[in-house]
Amino acid sequence: MIMFDHGREHIDDRMVLLQANIDDMNPEFSSYVTDRLFEAGANDVYWIPIIMKKGRPGLMLNVLVSEERLSDMEAVVFAETTTLGLRYTKADVHRLGREFAQVETEWGPIAVKLGFYKGELVQMAPEFKECEAAAKRFGVPLKRVYEEVRRKYAENADKRRTGEPKG
């Protein structure tokens, strides 16, 4: 299996988008199936609500995976869903370089994921689980934690550019 340094921007080639349309499975099973697919090595899993023939509601399962792990995904999908067939689309995936930074907040340190395109910071996202834990522990709204982490990161980034001490 090919491993990449996700700290640098790169293209993952030899990926496959596996799809299945499902209209006769209990939709509550979808979170379980998602977990199983991630455990088996999926890079991404998502579901899209669709209308199938004869107006029946259904779900489209989408699984992004490296070609090397395709048979693992097939095994999970055929064992855990009611689909009778799969579609495959070859895909190349452009991944930004990623780093993590810590932001000091009134609720303790919280990590942020940074995304770089051609060496320039283009994405900054607080780590959800850490924000969720802080919100629950301190009884504050999750959106307040997110806003504070974003504000603190931007404030510290401005200080780094101007050479001021962080605080």
Side-chain angles (χ1 to χ4, degrees):
M1 184 165 123
I2 299 171
M3 296 300 293
F4 291 97
D5 172 9
H6 290 287
R8 66 177 178 80
E9 184 176 356
H10 64 278
I11 303 289
D12 287 344
D13 56 1
R14 300 182 57 219
M15 301 290 289
V16 176
L17 180 61
L18 174 150
Q19 295 179 314
N21 291 352
I22 302 168
D23 67 353
D24 58 351
M25 180 182 87
N26 182 338
E28 291 177 327
F29 295 175
S30 59
S31 64
Y32 176 79
V33 172
T34 298
D35 291 345
R36 291 283 321 276
L37 289 163
F38 278 126
E39 289 164 5
N43 291 73
D44 197 11
V45 178
Y46 58 97
W47 299 80
I48 300 172
I50 58 175
I51 301 297
M52 298 181 60
K53 65 183 173 193
K54 300 181 183 176
R56 292 191 308 263
L59 293 171
M60 179 193 297
L61 169 62
N62 295 268
V63 182
L64 182 66
V65 65
S66 65
E67 286 180 352
E68 294 84 11
R69 303 303 298 261
L70 188 57
S71 65
D72 297 331
M73 300 306 109
E74 292 169 335
V76 172
V77 172
F78 286 132
E80 298 290 355
T81 76
T82 57
T83 193
L84 296 173
L86 301 172
R87 288 183 303 279
Y88 304 94
T89 304
K90 302 283 185 189
D92 293 340
V93 179
H94 186 154
R95 298 190 192 273
L96 297 180
R98 288 174 266 176
E99 293 178 9
F100 288 87
Q102 289 280 13
V103 174
E104 289 299 325
T105 72
E106 62 187 277
W107 310 290
I110 295 180
V112 294
K113 187 185 303 181
L114 308 172
F116 295 87
Y117 175 67
K118 296 183 179 179
E120 294 291 321
L121 179 66
V122 295
Q123 302 292 336
M124 189 284 293
E127 281 297 296
F128 174 77
K129 284 295 185 186
E130 293 181 25
C131 291
E132 178 185 51
K136 287 179 178 178
R137 181 170 179 220
F138 292 95
V140 296
L142 178 60
K143 70 179 182 178
R144 180 174 164 208
V145 177
Y146 259 74
E147 290 166 358
E148 178 72 4
V149 171
R150 288 183 165 284
R151 187 185 67 73
K152 288 278 195 173
Y153 181 81
E155 180 181 286
N156 289 337
D158 288 342
K159 287 180 181 178
R160 282 190 295 277
R161 278 192 293 276
T162 62
E164 294 177 40
K166 292 185 222 175

